[in-house]
């Protein structure tokens, strides 16, 4: 599903909601937590981020802001996962606001379980789903300002594909769920060239214009981080 009023299912929240923003917010969140960050606190609003983070000890915080792919002036970081080295983030909380990814997290924050997934930590998310077997799961693509994105759909497909394979479900059992079937088909077509897919994607092209080629390469890797970012309180994700 996508983070839009039209497409996000309404009514009952799922048992488990997974936010996906491969380029780049959930890749950054996974990287920070894998690098020893204390937590990531996500905001849709920049002013609110500043207000809350000011109450946190300065030496224990980092502030990351991105709009339109670019770093927000006055913030220590933009949204490049490659900046989130252990030397920088160890023991610190990352306060982050991005154009779409942190907004998607906010939209699902009332679900009993909220996870952040990217390709780089796909296996950890799949393992959690297979172990806990939540009855209802949403995989929520952040997209771009309310619209579809190739990279988030491919990541949703990567998650679903792995769940189907490992639980030996037949594709027949997904019949009727057009979104999951098409996400799996997209992933299956591009699984050996996810970077190539990013180069076709509108946000991939935006990031290439901003010279973020290395971020694309990093985010196109699958299953490289064994980290499960899970919401502990609204907006605050820690490594489970
Ligand atoms: C977003 O939230 O839209 C993104 O993560 C944008 C980006 O920094 O690439």
């Amino acid at each position: 599903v996508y983070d839009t009023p039209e497409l996000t299912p309404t009514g009952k929240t799922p048992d488990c909601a997974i936010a996906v923003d491969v380029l780049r917010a959930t890749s950054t969140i996974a990287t920070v937590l894998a690098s020893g960050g204390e937590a990531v606190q996500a905001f849709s609003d920049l002013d609110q981020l500043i207000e809350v983070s000011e109450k946190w000890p300065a030496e224990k915080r980092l502030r990351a802001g991105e709009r339109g792919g670019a770093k927000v002036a006055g913030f220590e970081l933009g949204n490049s996962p490659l900046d989130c080295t252990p030397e920088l983030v160890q023991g610190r909380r990352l306060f982050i606001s991005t154009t779409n990814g942190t907004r998607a997290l906010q939209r699902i924050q009332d679900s009993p379980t909220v996870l952040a997934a990217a390709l780089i930590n796909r296996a950890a998310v799949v393992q959690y789903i297979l172990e806990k077997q939540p009855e209802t799961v949403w995989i929520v693509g952040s997209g771009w300002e309310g619209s579809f994105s190739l990279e988030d759909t491919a990541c949703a497909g990567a998650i679903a594909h792995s769940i189907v394979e490992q639980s030996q479900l037949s594709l027949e059992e997904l019949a009727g769920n057009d979104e999951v079937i098409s996400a799996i088909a997209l992933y299956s077509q591009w699984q050996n060239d996810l970077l190539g897919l990013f180069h076709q994607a509108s946000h991939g092209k935006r990031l290439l214009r901003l010279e973020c080629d290395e971020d694309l390469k990093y985010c196109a890797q699958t299953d490289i981080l064994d980290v499960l970012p899970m919401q502990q309180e609204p907006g605050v994700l820690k490594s489970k």
Side-chain angles (χ1 to χ4, degrees), residues 39-42 93 230-238:
V40 175
Q41 189 159 357
R93 177 170 294 207
M230 183 181 286
Q231 182 176 266
Q232 307 293 316
E233 56 187 272
V236 179
L237 295 121
K238 294 193 179 184

PDB file of all heavy atoms in Angstrom, residues 39-42 93 230-238:
ATOM      1  N   ALA A  39      18.914   5.349  19.200  1.00  0.00           N
ATOM      2  CA  ALA A  39      17.542   5.278  18.669  1.00  0.00           C
ATOM      3  C   ALA A  39      17.453   6.241  17.497  1.00  0.00           C
ATOM      4  O   ALA A  39      18.339   7.081  17.291  1.00  0.00           O
ATOM      5  CB  ALA A  39      16.524   5.677  19.739  1.00  0.00           C
ATOM      6  N   VAL A  40      16.384   6.081  16.746  1.00  0.00           N
ATOM      7  CA  VAL A  40      16.062   7.071  15.718  1.00  0.00           C
ATOM      8  C   VAL A  40      14.680   7.603  16.046  1.00  0.00           C
ATOM      9  O   VAL A  40      13.744   6.827  16.281  1.00  0.00           O
ATOM     10  CB  VAL A  40      16.041   6.438  14.304  1.00  0.00           C
ATOM     11  CG1 VAL A  40      15.584   7.452  13.270  1.00  0.00           C
ATOM     12  CG2 VAL A  40      17.418   5.900  13.936  1.00  0.00           C
ATOM     13  N   GLN A  41      14.549   8.918  16.108  1.00  0.00           N
ATOM     14  CA  GLN A  41      13.234   9.518  16.370  1.00  0.00           C
ATOM     15  C   GLN A  41      12.804  10.279  15.115  1.00  0.00           C
ATOM     16  O   GLN A  41      13.510  11.182  14.648  1.00  0.00           O
ATOM     17  CB  GLN A  41      13.306  10.422  17.601  1.00  0.00           C
ATOM     18  CG  GLN A  41      11.932  10.884  18.044  1.00  0.00           C
ATOM     19  CD  GLN A  41      11.895  11.339  19.502  1.00  0.00           C
ATOM     20  OE1 GLN A  41      12.898  11.261  20.221  1.00  0.00           O
ATOM     21  NE2 GLN A  41      10.747  11.814  19.935  1.00  0.00           N
ATOM     22  N   ALA A  42      11.659   9.865  14.570  1.00  0.00           N
ATOM     23  CA  ALA A  42      11.229  10.378  13.261  1.00  0.00           C
ATOM     24  C   ALA A  42      10.119  11.417  13.397  1.00  0.00           C
ATOM     25  O   ALA A  42       9.195  11.265  14.196  1.00  0.00           O
ATOM     26  CB  ALA A  42      10.741   9.213  12.406  1.00  0.00           C
ATOM     27  N   ARG A  93      21.264   9.604  19.619  1.00  0.00           N
ATOM     28  CA  ARG A  93      19.927   9.499  19.011  1.00  0.00           C
ATOM     29  C   ARG A  93      19.880  10.370  17.764  1.00  0.00           C
ATOM     30  O   ARG A  93      20.273  11.545  17.792  1.00  0.00           O
ATOM     31  CB  ARG A  93      18.850   9.950  20.006  1.00  0.00           C
ATOM     32  CG  ARG A  93      17.460   9.922  19.407  1.00  0.00           C
ATOM     33  CD  ARG A  93      16.370  10.127  20.436  1.00  0.00           C
ATOM     34  NE  ARG A  93      16.296   9.025  21.385  1.00  0.00           N
ATOM     35  CZ  ARG A  93      15.186   8.671  22.043  1.00  0.00           C
ATOM     36  NH1 ARG A  93      14.051   9.331  21.853  1.00  0.00           N
ATOM     37  NH2 ARG A  93      15.206   7.680  22.897  1.00  0.00           N
ATOM     38  N   MET A 230      12.474  -1.261  15.244  1.00  0.00           N
ATOM     39  CA  MET A 230      11.094  -1.446  15.714  1.00  0.00           C
ATOM     40  C   MET A 230      10.695  -0.257  16.588  1.00  0.00           C
ATOM     41  O   MET A 230      11.480   0.185  17.443  1.00  0.00           O
ATOM     42  CB  MET A 230      10.995  -2.737  16.519  1.00  0.00           C
ATOM     43  CG  MET A 230       9.584  -3.034  16.990  1.00  0.00           C
ATOM     44  SD  MET A 230       9.500  -4.539  17.964  1.00  0.00           S
ATOM     45  CE  MET A 230       9.686  -5.769  16.721  1.00  0.00           C
ATOM     46  N   GLN A 231       9.472   0.217  16.393  1.00  0.00           N
ATOM     47  CA  GLN A 231       8.992   1.365  17.184  1.00  0.00           C
ATOM     48  C   GLN A 231       8.800   0.941  18.638  1.00  0.00           C
ATOM     49  O   GLN A 231       8.138  -0.049  18.928  1.00  0.00           O
ATOM     50  CB  GLN A 231       7.672   1.867  16.593  1.00  0.00           C
ATOM     51  CG  GLN A 231       7.125   3.079  17.330  1.00  0.00           C
ATOM     52  CD  GLN A 231       5.869   3.630  16.676  1.00  0.00           C
ATOM     53  OE1 GLN A 231       5.931   4.535  15.870  1.00  0.00           O
ATOM     54  NE2 GLN A 231       4.725   3.076  17.029  1.00  0.00           N
ATOM     55  N   GLN A 232       9.381   1.748  19.557  1.00  0.00           N
ATOM     56  CA  GLN A 232       9.251   1.472  20.992  1.00  0.00           C
ATOM     57  C   GLN A 232       8.230   2.394  21.635  1.00  0.00           C
ATOM     58  O   GLN A 232       7.604   2.050  22.626  1.00  0.00           O
ATOM     59  CB  GLN A 232      10.593   1.672  21.699  1.00  0.00           C
ATOM     60  CG  GLN A 232      11.733   0.902  21.072  1.00  0.00           C
ATOM     61  CD  GLN A 232      11.559  -0.599  21.219  1.00  0.00           C
ATOM     62  OE1 GLN A 232      11.204  -1.070  22.301  1.00  0.00           O
ATOM     63  NE2 GLN A 232      11.777  -1.341  20.152  1.00  0.00           N
ATOM     64  N   GLU A 233       8.141   3.591  21.132  1.00  0.00           N
ATOM     65  CA  GLU A 233       7.097   4.544  21.533  1.00  0.00           C
ATOM     66  C   GLU A 233       6.840   5.367  20.269  1.00  0.00           C
ATOM     67  O   GLU A 233       7.660   5.328  19.348  1.00  0.00           O
ATOM     68  CB  GLU A 233       7.552   5.425  22.703  1.00  0.00           C
ATOM     69  CG  GLU A 233       8.825   6.163  22.425  1.00  0.00           C
ATOM     70  CD  GLU A 233       9.358   6.903  23.646  1.00  0.00           C
ATOM     71  OE1 GLU A 233       8.950   8.063  23.834  1.00  0.00           O
ATOM     72  OE2 GLU A 233      10.197   6.340  24.347  1.00  0.00           O
ATOM     73  N   PRO A 234       5.704   6.088  20.185  1.00  0.00           N
ATOM     74  CA  PRO A 234       5.394   6.725  18.905  1.00  0.00           C
ATOM     75  C   PRO A 234       6.564   7.534  18.327  1.00  0.00           C
ATOM     76  O   PRO A 234       7.090   8.430  18.981  1.00  0.00           O
ATOM     77  CB  PRO A 234       4.189   7.609  19.240  1.00  0.00           C
ATOM     78  CG  PRO A 234       3.534   6.869  20.369  1.00  0.00           C
ATOM     79  CD  PRO A 234       4.656   6.278  21.184  1.00  0.00           C
ATOM     80  N   GLY A 235       6.979   7.136  17.134  1.00  0.00           N
ATOM     81  CA  GLY A 235       8.052   7.862  16.432  1.00  0.00           C
ATOM     82  C   GLY A 235       9.459   7.455  16.798  1.00  0.00           C
ATOM     83  O   GLY A 235      10.400   7.872  16.148  1.00  0.00           O
ATOM     84  N   VAL A 236       9.618   6.647  17.842  1.00  0.00           N
ATOM     85  CA  VAL A 236      10.975   6.275  18.301  1.00  0.00           C
ATOM     86  C   VAL A 236      11.253   4.814  17.946  1.00  0.00           C
ATOM     87  O   VAL A 236      10.564   3.903  18.425  1.00  0.00           O
ATOM     88  CB  VAL A 236      11.152   6.486  19.818  1.00  0.00           C
ATOM     89  CG1 VAL A 236      12.545   6.065  20.263  1.00  0.00           C
ATOM     90  CG2 VAL A 236      10.875   7.932  20.191  1.00  0.00           C
ATOM     91  N   LEU A 237      12.259   4.622  17.122  1.00  0.00           N
ATOM     92  CA  LEU A 237      12.617   3.260  16.700  1.00  0.00           C
ATOM     93  C   LEU A 237      13.946   2.867  17.317  1.00  0.00           C
ATOM     94  O   LEU A 237      14.883   3.668  17.367  1.00  0.00           O
ATOM     95  CB  LEU A 237      12.744   3.202  15.177  1.00  0.00           C
ATOM     96  CG  LEU A 237      11.437   3.446  14.440  1.00  0.00           C
ATOM     97  CD1 LEU A 237      11.583   4.643  13.528  1.00  0.00           C
ATOM     98  CD2 LEU A 237      11.011   2.246  13.648  1.00  0.00           C
ATOM     99  N   LYS A 238      13.988   1.615  17.791  1.00  0.00           N
ATOM    100  CA  LYS A 238      15.232   1.081  18.322  1.00  0.00           C
ATOM    101  C   LYS A 238      15.486  -0.269  17.668  1.00  0.00           C
ATOM    102  O   LYS A 238      14.586  -0.865  17.086  1.00  0.00           O
ATOM    103  CB  LYS A 238      15.150   0.923  19.845  1.00  0.00           C
ATOM    104  CG  LYS A 238      15.046   2.255  20.551  1.00  0.00           C
ATOM    105  CD  LYS A 238      15.268   2.139  22.042  1.00  0.00           C
ATOM    106  CE  LYS A 238      15.185   3.517  22.688  1.00  0.00           C
ATOM    107  NZ  LYS A 238      15.486   3.491  24.112  1.00  0.00           N
TER     108      LYS A 238
END
